[in-house]
Amino acid sequence: MDLEYFKQWVYKEFRINLYAYKPNQLHRRILSLMSRVGVKSVDEYINLLKRDDGQRQKFLDFITINVSEFFRNPEIFEDLRNKIKIELLSKNRNLKIWSAACSIGAEPYSIAMILDEIAPMGKHTIIATDIDNTILEKAKKGIYNISEIKNVKKTQIDKYFEKQGEQYVLDKKIKDMVTFKKHDLILDRYDIGFDLIICRNVVIYFNQDVKDEIYKKFGASLKKDGLLFVGATESIYNYKEFGFDKSSTFIYRKL
Ligand SMILES: C[S@@+](CC[C@H](N)C(=O)[O-])C[C@H]1O[C@@H](n2cnc3c(N)ncnc32)[C@H](O)[C@@H]1O
């Protein structure tokens, strides 16, 4: 099946670079999606995507995989909280933070809660980005279900959420700490001067060259001694190449 042609079409149509993804995994997933929607060829699938907005959204959701939750891997977030306190706030009262590929906003809002708890007087900037506009709209609303907040402590739920039916609505003060923007990690330019960059559970889908390029750009975006927080399956083996030192298994310090 001609997936090369499909990738070119997807780039032209959606400005999404599927060449950056690990090919075997991506091809398997696209074929399984096509069989799920009942099409047998790439041409047939392209025609379907051209005329059916629902299918277009389904395809984008499938590519972007935006599962997330607050304090994903709580023990690693605890490590991050300590490092923010000991390594970052000891030098700088006002932090500039980037949550890249932030999905539903659970990640930048987790950071906002931590800062509200340990450094409420600071004037912090938290920028949260994702390639997917639909998910950014959900993130801005700040409304979650019980499974998305399962790692939030009872005291934090009481303090930062209001229960409305089955949903949990995040407090305006925490929402106002985060600015959401659309950003593609592969195609867009990176801002600079960050104390902390969080990028978790997205580079696993990219090939090694693209991953290396992203880590190199994160290195350039961080201040000296700034921290990069990665996902729980994403330790960077060649971190020295990008000018990092290891702070802990999933946290790297810019030299
Ligand atoms: C599995 S979620 C991870 C969410 C969160 N970081 C976490 O760990 O819980 C992956 C997110 O990456 C986003 N994404 C995929 N490709 C991207 C790209 N090229 N640039 C920016 N975000 C991207 C998706 O839209 C999705 O929201």
Side-chain angles (χ1 to χ4, degrees):
M1 204 163 292
D2 192 1
L3 286 174
E4 286 311 302
Y5 169 61
F6 183 66
K7 288 183 194 175
Q8 286 167 20
W9 181 80
V10 167
Y11 185 71
K12 270 195 258 154
E13 189 73 14
F14 298 102
R15 285 277 170 255
I16 291 181
N17 177 7
L18 292 183
Y19 291 97
Y21 289 71
K22 288 180 188 158
N24 293 346
Q25 191 188 20
L26 178 77
H27 291 187
R28 227 181 14 250
R29 295 181 62 239
I30 291 174
L31 293 177
S32 111
L33 180 64
M34 283 170 54
S35 94
R36 244 189 285 161
V37 297
V39 296
K40 294 199 172 54
S41 71
V42 166
D43 282 333
E44 213 184 314
Y45 191 38
I46 290 177
N47 282 334
L48 179 69
L49 293 177
K50 276 183 185 163
R51 63 170 193 267
D52 186 331
D53 283 348
Q55 289 296 340
R56 287 170 80 87
Q57 191 54 49
K58 229 180 228 164
F59 171 71
L60 290 176
D61 289 350
F62 167 84
I63 288 299
T64 52
I65 319 171
N66 28 43
V67 176
S68 186
E69 63 193 30
F70 281 77
F71 302 101
R72 191 171 187 171
N73 314 108
E75 62 302 336
I76 313 181
F77 256 95
E78 209 42 49
D79 183 26
L80 179 70
R81 173 195 288 265
N82 289 331
K83 296 232 183 315
I84 292 176
K85 217 193 278 184
I86 296 160
E87 297 198 20
L88 300 181
L89 288 166
S90 60
K91 286 188 216 108
N92 189 352
R93 288 161 54 93
N94 308 316
L95 300 181
K96 181 173 173 183
I97 295 175
W98 178 18
S99 166
C102 68
S103 185
I104 55 175
E107 188 173 87
Y109 289 143
S110 299
I111 298 292
M113 283 183 203
I114 291 177
L115 290 178
D116 186 62
E117 287 168 349
I118 64 178
M121 305 306 275
K123 288 192 173 34
H124 311 293
T125 306
I126 306 175
I127 298 163
T129 63
D130 201 282
I131 195 176
D132 180 350
N133 269 327
T134 314
I135 211 70
L136 287 172
E137 286 312 309
K138 174 171 164 54
K140 282 181 207 165
K141 290 199 181 97
I143 301 175
Y144 297 97
N145 61 40
I146 185 80
S147 73
E148 289 161 339
I149 62 162
K150 68 176 193 290
N151 296 324
V152 183
K153 294 188 185 109
K154 167 89 173 68
T155 48
Q156 292 169 319
I157 293 182
D158 293 346
K159 188 168 172 198
Y160 296 121
F161 291 89
E162 189 191 321
K163 189 157 190 251
Q164 290 183 4
E166 293 303 300
Q167 310 259 266
Y168 292 80
V169 181
L170 185 63
D171 188 51
K172 185 173 178 326
K173 181 171 103 178
I174 298 296
K175 278 202 291 196
D176 287 349
M177 289 174 70
V178 179
T179 306
F180 290 95
K181 285 186 197 157
K182 184 175 177 183
H183 180 275
D184 181 340
L185 282 164
I186 298 164
L187 299 175
D188 292 335
R189 62 166 283 278
Y190 290 23
D191 194 4
I192 53 167
F194 291 102
D195 297 285
L196 170 65
I197 296 176
I198 302 147
C199 182
R200 309 182 75 215
N201 306 302
V202 62
V203 301
I204 30 164
Y205 304 111
F206 299 150
N207 67 44
Q208 194 59 46
D209 287 349
V210 170
K211 252 189 232 181
D212 287 355
E213 192 57 31
I214 289 175
Y215 291 140
K216 200 164 111 193
K217 291 198 220 160
F218 282 154
S221 287
L222 282 166
K223 286 183 191 161
K224 181 179 178 310
D225 296 326
L227 300 177
L228 172 64
F229 182 38
V230 302
T233 56
E234 298 173 334
S235 22
I236 311 172
Y237 300 103
N238 49 346
Y239 60 89
K240 287 193 181 131
E241 275 175 43
F242 313 116
F244 287 110
D245 190 10
K246 199 169 191 164
S247 178
S248 55
T249 320
F250 305 109
I251 300 178
Y252 298 84
R253 186 186 307 105
K254 170 78 188 299
L255 290 168

